[in-house]
Amino acid sequence: MGEILDLVEARLRTALGEPDARAEVTFLGTDRIEVLRFLDGDVVRYATLGMSDRPMADPTSPLADPVKGPRAELVLSVRAGIADTDQVLRPLAVLAASPVVEGLIVAPGASLDLGQPLWPGAPFTSVLVAEPGGLVEDLELDAPMDPVCFLPLLPMTHNEAAWKRVRGAQELQERWLSQGTDLRDPLRASVALD
């Protein structure tokens, strides 16, 4: 399945340019997860590589299908030079390993919580998984495999995460939009909530 990751990395390079750094993390019982860093002016983007090697499986299913099922990688974009965001590499790898470790299917609208700041001093311990297709187009694979989706991650403060649990992802995103929230600001405050 290594050829899938080669195709994924090629798609990331086509969309984001050449990575200027990469790190790898291995968790017991899982495959290696790499995190690639891409600089784009005043924005730094971190993308996982390895999560899509296997399809995500329904945790209630007695047998995981080794071919069919959703595949994804995660992409986080933040403003460069404001905070030590390079410390997000391990937390991102943890999130990318969650389908294997915790049996999760990561999909748009989901919340992923680390229980600790994404990087030192970050006001965020969780992220909202956004819709794919904007920054990096889906990567079609040979049938019967599902395409690889590149899911943007939007950092959430504790209050935003709690509000999202009650009101839903769509309402939180609408609130961010109506308030003009800079979701790439690594030190931003929580949006005003009801």
Side-chain angles (χ1 to χ4, degrees):
M1 287 293 186
E3 65 272 8
I4 290 176
L5 296 185
D6 291 341
L7 293 171
V8 168
E9 184 169 352
R11 175 57 54 94
L12 286 168
R13 287 172 183 265
T14 299
L16 305 176
E18 287 299 310
D20 77 321
R22 63 193 309 145
E24 63 180 59
V25 180
T26 305
F27 303 99
L28 189 63
T30 68
D31 294 328
R32 178 183 76 214
I33 300 286
E34 289 187 83
V35 180
L36 284 59
R37 183 180 71 186
F38 301 87
L39 293 177
D40 181 14
D42 69 338
V43 174
V44 60
R45 301 185 198 285
Y46 302 94
T48 63
L49 180 63
M51 181 178 171
S52 62
D53 198 27
R54 296 185 220 178
M56 293 179 270
D58 182 344
T60 63
S61 175
L63 291 173
D65 190 318
V67 177
K68 295 198 298 193
R71 295 175 189 261
E73 296 291 352
L74 308 175
V75 180
L76 174 69
S77 301
V78 292
R79 298 223 178 275
I82 299 173
D84 187 10
T85 57
D86 280 351
Q87 298 299 315
V88 78
L89 301 178
R90 184 169 178 76
L92 265 183
V94 167
L95 295 177
S98 62
V100 173
V101 175
E102 299 177 34
L104 296 177
I105 293 182
V106 178
S111 299
L112 302 175
D113 196 329
L114 285 162
Q116 64 184 32
L118 292 174
W119 52 81
F124 320 106
T125 61
S126 62
V127 293
L128 174 65
V129 181
E131 292 290 333
L135 188 60
V136 183
E137 289 184 31
D138 293 354
L139 173 65
E140 295 295 329
L141 299 174
D142 293 337
M145 292 186 282
D146 290 19
V148 176
C149 297
F150 298 87
L151 300 170
L153 299 180
L154 307 175
M156 293 187 292
T157 65
H158 180 72
N159 287 343
E160 290 168 343
W163 200 78
K164 183 257 175 194
R165 281 191 295 277
V166 174
R167 306 289 285 271
Q170 184 65 35
E171 284 202 33
L172 178 58
Q173 289 177 301
E174 288 171 6
R175 178 60 56 104
W176 281 335
L177 189 59
S178 70
Q179 300 288 320
T181 307
D182 181 2
L183 296 174
R184 293 179 180 166
D185 180 350
L187 297 175
R188 73 172 178 83
S190 183
V191 71
L193 302 168
D194 295 337

